[in-house]
């Protein structure tokens, strides 16, 4: 069994796009070398030093400071799409290996490098994501797969880098996973009552739950 590890830390810069209401996106995240500082961001900002975000209505902020996606899930998509998918291509800041991100419990905490991160919510796909990948019916296909990756808040600021182990320090007893939360918010509304007991569910996801 592989030990959970960060394969790459990825950041992006704003680029013009016709697939966003704000006309810019930084979804094209590229791996960077060396230690990277993670901190609690300001309103709508990224928690990863050097990373830019554009549409702050849906991205960034304290509860969505960092986005993690599993390399295993990228590999599954690469096989089904018949194309190469590099680390960071889904807009993730952390590409992980040996870690079941979909099975992570909302509220569990990860020690990565000197930083402490907390799982807060699943990523909900948008048209900017679809436009970037140029795949037909992408939002529907991504939703059906229900392996959305996880947003994280920064509990303790610090540095992390490629090669750092990911240690799961604790896991809440409610047992609601990222995958279950995603399905509740998208395709299986009968699961929504389960989310009411998840205090650490991120603000934007909680607003969606109320709606």
């Amino acid at each position: 069994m592989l030990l959970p590890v960060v394969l790459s830390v990825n950041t992006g810069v704003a680029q013009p796009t016709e697939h966003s209401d704000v006309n810019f996106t930084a979804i094209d995240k590229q791996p960077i070398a060396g230690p990277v500082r993670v901190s609690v961001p300001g309103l709508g900002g990224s928690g990863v030093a050097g990373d830019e975000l554009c549409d702050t209505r849906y991205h960034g902020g304290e509860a969505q400071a960092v986005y993690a996606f599993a390399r295993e899930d990228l590999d599954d998509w690469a096989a089904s799409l018949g194309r190469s998918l590099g680390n960071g291509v889904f807009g993730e800041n952390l590409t992980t290996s040996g870690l079941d991100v979909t099975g992570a419990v909302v509220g569990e905490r990860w020690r990565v490098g000197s930083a402490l991160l907390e799982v807060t919510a699943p990523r909900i796909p948008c048209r900017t994501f679809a436009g970037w990948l140029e795949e037909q019916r992408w939002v529907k296909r991504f939703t059906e797969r229900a392996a959305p990756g996880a947003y994280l808040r920064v509990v303790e600021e610090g540095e992390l880098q490629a090669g750092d182990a990911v240690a799961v320090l604790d896991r809440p007893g409610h047992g609601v996973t990222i995958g279950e939360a995603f399905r509740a918010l998208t395709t299986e509304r009968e699961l929504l009552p389960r989310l009411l007991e998840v205090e650490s569910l991120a603000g934007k996801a909680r607003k969606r739950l109320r709606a």
Side-chain angles (χ1 to χ4, degrees):
M1 181 176 178
L2 294 176
L3 293 176
V5 66
V6 173
L7 288 183
S8 66
V9 181
N10 317 300
T11 62
V13 297
Q15 301 177 32
T17 179
E18 61 183 23
H19 303 293
S20 170
D21 293 339
V22 299
N23 299 318
F24 286 89
T25 180
I27 195 172
D28 183 12
K29 310 292 186 190
Q30 297 294 322
I32 56 176
V36 181
R37 181 79 180 173
V38 293
S39 57
V40 179
L43 184 64
S46 174
V48 181
D51 186 44
E52 294 184 6
L53 297 176
C54 297
D55 194 343
T56 56
R57 296 172 302 170
Y58 306 112
H59 304 292
E62 179 271 339
Q64 296 181 174
V66 182
Y67 175 50
F69 201 84
R71 182 65 245 182
E72 292 84 353
D73 291 326
L74 281 175
D75 289 341
D76 286 345
W77 275 116
S80 63
L81 297 176
R83 58 186 277 193
S84 176
L85 295 173
N87 293 349
V89 72
F90 277 17
E92 76 272 15
N93 299 115
L94 305 181
T95 309
T96 65
S97 177
L99 182 67
D100 182 6
V101 177
T102 303
V105 174
V106 179
E108 74 175 39
R109 292 185 170 186
W110 302 349
R111 175 67 70 185
V112 188
S114 61
L116 182 63
L117 308 175
E118 182 180 274
V119 175
T120 59
R123 183 251 197 94
I124 304 297
C126 61
R127 72 183 185 95
T128 302
F129 188 21
W132 160 242
L133 285 181
E134 298 182 329
E135 292 286 346
Q136 292 186 347
R137 301 173 55 254
W138 178 249
V139 169
K140 179 177 176 60
R141 293 160 72 187
F142 187 86
T143 300
E144 290 174 344
R145 181 73 61 93
Y151 284 121
L152 311 162
R153 66 164 47 95
V154 179
V155 179
E156 294 178 6
E157 299 183 352
E159 292 186 339
L160 48 77
Q161 62 184 317
D164 281 344
V166 180
V168 179
L169 299 187
D170 59 73
R171 184 171 282 135
H174 58 70
V176 177
T177 66
I178 283 293
E180 185 177 2
F182 180 80
R183 298 195 311 275
L185 293 166
T186 55
T187 61
E188 298 180 32
R189 298 304 176 90
E190 65 273 16
L191 296 175
L192 283 172
R194 287 271 289 149
L195 302 190
L196 295 174
E197 59 185 288
V198 185
E199 295 181 0
S200 54
L201 189 70
K204 293 181 179 67
R206 186 161 291 281
K207 288 179 181 178
R208 193 181 182 99
L209 171 61
R210 294 195 188 102

